[in-house]
Amino acid sequence: MHVYGLAHVAAAGAAADTGNQSNGAEPAACRAIICTHGRQSKWSDYDLHPMLLHRLPSLRFLHPTHVQTLALDRMLDGQPTALTAETGSGKTLAYLVPLLHRLLSLPSPPPTAPSSTMGKQLPKAIVLVPNHLLIRQTAGTLALLAGNAAHVLTHPSDINNQSPPASPHAPLPSVLITTPAALTNHLHTSLPAFMSESGIQTLVLDEADLLLSGSYLAPTQAILRAVPRRAPNRPLLVLAAATLPPARSSKWPLALAQRAIPDLAVIRSSGSHAAPSTLDERFEYLTSTDDAHESGGTGGRGEALSARADKVLDILTDEQNDLRAAIVFTNLAKDVDPLAHYLRQRIDKEAGAWAQVYPMTSLPADSRDQLFTALRRQRNDMKPAVLVATDALARGIDLPSVNLVVHHTFPTDAVAYLHRVGRTARLGKPGVSVALVGAKDVALARGLELGSMGIEPSQDRILDPWPSSTRVTLVTIAVLYLTQVILAPPVQAAQVWQPEAIQSKAIAGVSGARAGAVAWNQRGAVVAGGKLGKARRV
Ligand SMILES: Nc1ncnc2c1ncn2[C@@H]1O[C@H](COP(=O)(O)OP(=O)(O)OP(=O)(O)O)[C@@H](O)[C@H]1O
């Protein structure tokens, strides 16, 4: 475990900021994120549309990142690709660049030709994301990149509401960014006709593991079923995710996708399924007095929350000199407002009221958008911002000024942890994560901490759910010893060796519950945390 804080990692950040410059001595972060095999690839290495070759560097995307390099050739070739790489590594641009290249390379339609039998300018590409926050963020990035070369639609109803093209000679192609449910609800039974008539060239599933699970699954599958299967109408299909387990069972996200897209190839970066290498992770184990509620004390929930809130305040105060923006994660939406209120009151009383606190669940959408814009511009005259949020902010959100993540309550599994901490330390920049660990979180935290102590090489961190058999054995023995012998209260042998919720012995052997590994049981549910004999289904 490293306990350095923001001041310590600032120096590393200065180096990382130059990561996309082509200088001789590459900083460590550059080696991890930007460069490949000692040589930076260039946009001009790819046969990209001239507009992109001009526009990418002018937007300060000077070189492709490592994951972009890994995926570009295949995607530009139109081959279906699942791209899984660490948080903040540039997956969005990895699919937006080929999407735009294909869009811009379309032959212009004849001026009088209707763009579809429905008489509308139908989108030529669709990006599916899980929520409204990501719709807005991805639409912003695409609009920036496309300039005035494409329309960006953010709801299927926008297809009907598009204003007529300024010039009938050059109707702009459009891209729809939406959620799977919004698309299927809007189109109902006309979905197959829509998919075949519009001539969709690219279909992207961002946060693909989420879209292929839970309540997202049915609409996503309906869309995949409606995709034309044969060339030349078949679109480029892209799945992007920071966490994408392999297809161990037919119900796992990747298996579901591969059934719909049999030639889907998976590109995994070596750092995938691990926390960013530039992240400084800390775990603060609470004593039973700190955490009265957790330990069965009489103080109850309110007391426990405020004891933890004081700890959060201490962490923020310790880092205040170097803090630009922090996200404080808590598990329940109902705790966001009281926690934010408490922090705000306390910070406002301190000299200079040195930070501005925002409760994300009750912040009006306009104010949230303004805040995000300000945080993306990274203005130096802003007070540090403290965003109090649930895991709704844990996936995909890109706010480069966030240099601290605090876990007021511990995430429920290693996947949630990975996405939370990935809101900082993005693209080789430094960041700190501090987690408050209650009694019930100790097993998961210890496992995660073992990974961050560097027992495993960085690219094979313990978070990797599919380590080699040797590593599995060593890690399992170490973790079982630590958790069953040293830490855990005595349990019956039968409970340990006959876990109820884990169906595969192999998975039980990996012991996602204990090792902090991301483990999936046979039903595709994430198993992590809790006792080995009672692995929780999350
Ligand atoms: N080639 C590039 N050069 C410089 N910056 C880049 C480049 N590509 C992407 N970025 C920046 O890197 C940051 C992270 O990118 P992005 O949001 O796509 O990460 P991600 O891999 O999708 O992360 P997550 O898994 O958290 O969604 C963004 O601020 C983006 O603008």
Side-chain angles (χ1 to χ4, degrees):
M1 177 172 64
H2 315 284
V3 187
Y4 298 139
L6 286 172
H8 177 89
V9 293
D17 283 344
T18 63
N20 50 7
Q21 307 296 328
S22 176
N23 48 15
E26 292 162 355
C30 167
R31 288 198 297 277
I33 303 283
I34 303 282
C35 316
T36 48
H37 310 299
R39 185 185 80 87
Q40 280 188 330
S41 67
K42 306 190 285 293
W43 295 114
S44 55
D45 292 343
Y46 303 91
D47 190 17
L48 288 175
H49 190 278
M51 184 282 238
L52 284 169
L53 286 177
H54 168 75
R55 204 155 169 84
L56 283 160
S58 74
L59 292 169
R60 303 210 44 80
F61 301 126
L62 302 184
H63 301 273
T65 65
H66 178 56
V67 304
Q68 290 157 8
T69 310
L70 290 178
L72 263 175
D73 271 334
R74 194 178 158 84
M75 292 188 194
L76 288 170
D77 227 21
Q79 300 181 57
T81 306
L83 174 62
T84 177
E86 57 274 34
T87 49
S89 54
K91 293 184 289 295
T92 314
L93 221 59
Y95 66 72
L96 286 183
V97 167
L99 178 154
L100 264 178
H101 168 82
R102 291 166 71 82
L103 207 65
L104 296 167
S105 310
L106 272 180
S108 302
T112 51
S115 55
S116 82
T117 53
M118 294 154 98
K120 303 277 188 258
Q121 183 66 29
L122 296 178
K124 292 284 173 241
I126 299 178
V127 179
L128 298 173
V129 294
N131 58 44
H132 190 68
L133 286 175
L134 290 178
I135 292 179
R136 292 190 71 81
Q137 178 174 293
T138 314
T141 310
L142 179 59
L144 194 70
L145 197 57
N148 53 12
H151 278 307
V152 184
L153 313 175
T154 53
H155 191 274
S157 59
D158 294 347
I159 297 167
N160 302 330
N161 302 335
Q162 287 175 89
S163 45
S167 155
H169 298 289
L172 289 182
S174 56
V175 180
L176 173 62
I177 303 179
T178 188
T179 63
L183 187 61
T184 51
N185 290 344
H186 186 78
L187 292 171
H188 291 291
T189 49
S190 54
L191 181 67
F194 170 84
M195 293 302 270
S196 57
E197 281 182 22
S198 51
I200 298 284
Q201 294 182 317
T202 307
L203 174 65
V204 179
L205 273 60
D206 199 351
E207 305 294 343
D209 56 325
L210 192 60
L211 296 191
L212 287 160
S213 63
S215 60
Y216 296 97
L217 179 60
T220 304
Q221 277 189 312
I223 294 164
L224 286 178
R225 273 196 296 270
V227 170
R229 300 271 170 132
R230 291 183 200 289
N233 295 334
R234 186 169 103 140
L236 162 66
L237 284 147
V238 178
L239 275 65
T243 47
L244 189 63
R248 282 207 208 284
S249 128
S250 61
K251 294 202 176 131
W252 290 16
L254 189 55
L256 294 166
Q258 281 172 330
R259 203 176 311 148
I261 317 157
D263 52 342
L264 183 72
V266 183
I267 294 181
R268 255 181 226 292
S269 81
S270 58
S272 68
H273 296 131
S277 57
T278 49
L279 181 74
D280 174 13
E281 288 166 284
R282 291 189 236 161
F283 297 84
E284 288 198 7
Y285 290 85
L286 300 176
T287 62
S288 49
T289 345
D290 288 336
D291 212 13
H293 179 65
E294 297 261 330
S295 59
T298 50
R301 182 173 186 79
E303 188 185 310
L305 281 177
S306 62
R308 282 173 177 247
D310 282 337
K311 294 263 173 208
V312 171
L313 189 67
D314 288 347
I315 295 163
L316 295 169
T317 310
D318 282 352
E319 302 291 1
Q320 68 172 284
N321 290 337
D322 302 287
L323 188 66
R324 307 197 64 167
I327 303 181
V328 177
F329 283 107
T330 191
N331 289 350
L332 301 177
K334 68 179 180 189
D335 291 339
V336 168
D337 273 354
L339 177 59
H341 180 72
Y342 182 82
L343 294 174
R344 181 183 291 154
Q345 261 192 338
R346 294 287 306 272
I347 289 174
D348 281 353
K349 273 194 206 139
E350 290 180 20
W354 53 271
Q356 188 76 42
V357 181
Y358 302 90
M360 297 311 291
T361 46
S362 54
L363 200 65
D366 283 355
S367 314
R368 188 195 58 217
D369 289 348
Q370 278 171 16
L371 172 65
F372 282 9
T373 308
L375 290 175
R376 289 198 177 106
R377 290 198 183 130
Q378 306 201 52
R379 281 188 3 228
N380 284 332
D381 57 338
M382 258 181 93
K383 266 189 191 176
V386 176
L387 283 56
V388 182
T390 62
D391 281 349
L393 219 66
R395 273 197 183 241
I397 296 298
D398 180 55
L399 300 170
S401 47
V402 172
N403 56 354
L404 175 67
V405 165
V406 183
H407 310 256
H408 167 257
T409 38
F410 207 72
T412 47
D413 57 52
V415 172
Y417 178 82
L418 211 58
H419 285 282
R420 278 187 184 184
V421 299
R423 292 321 98 208
T424 186
R426 295 174 73 72
L427 205 70
K429 291 213 172 112
V432 172
S433 154
V434 189
L436 300 181
V437 184
K440 71 179 173 48
D441 313 309
V442 167
L444 177 57
R446 287 267 189 235
L448 291 163
E449 197 176 14
L450 279 176
S452 65
M453 285 167 76
I455 285 174
E456 303 287 334
S458 63
Q459 74 272 30
D460 302 322
R461 301 264 301 269
I462 202 164
L463 276 170
D464 182 348
W466 307 280
S468 72
S469 54
T470 313
R471 288 203 307 274
V472 169
T473 311
L474 288 175
V475 169
T476 305
I477 291 168
V479 167
L480 281 174
Y481 181 73
L482 187 72
T483 55
Q484 301 298 324
V485 179
I486 297 180
L487 296 172
V491 290
Q492 292 169 8
Q495 274 184 305
V496 175
W497 298 113
Q498 296 172 3
E500 297 153 16
I502 301 176
Q503 298 196 341
S504 138
K505 267 195 176 167
I507 305 264
V510 172
S511 180
R514 286 302 190 179
V518 183
W520 281 262
N521 69 12
Q522 290 290 30
R523 291 187 298 275
V526 174
V527 176
K531 291 187 174 57
L532 186 59
K534 298 178 185 170
R536 279 180 289 133
R537 184 180 167 146
V538 183

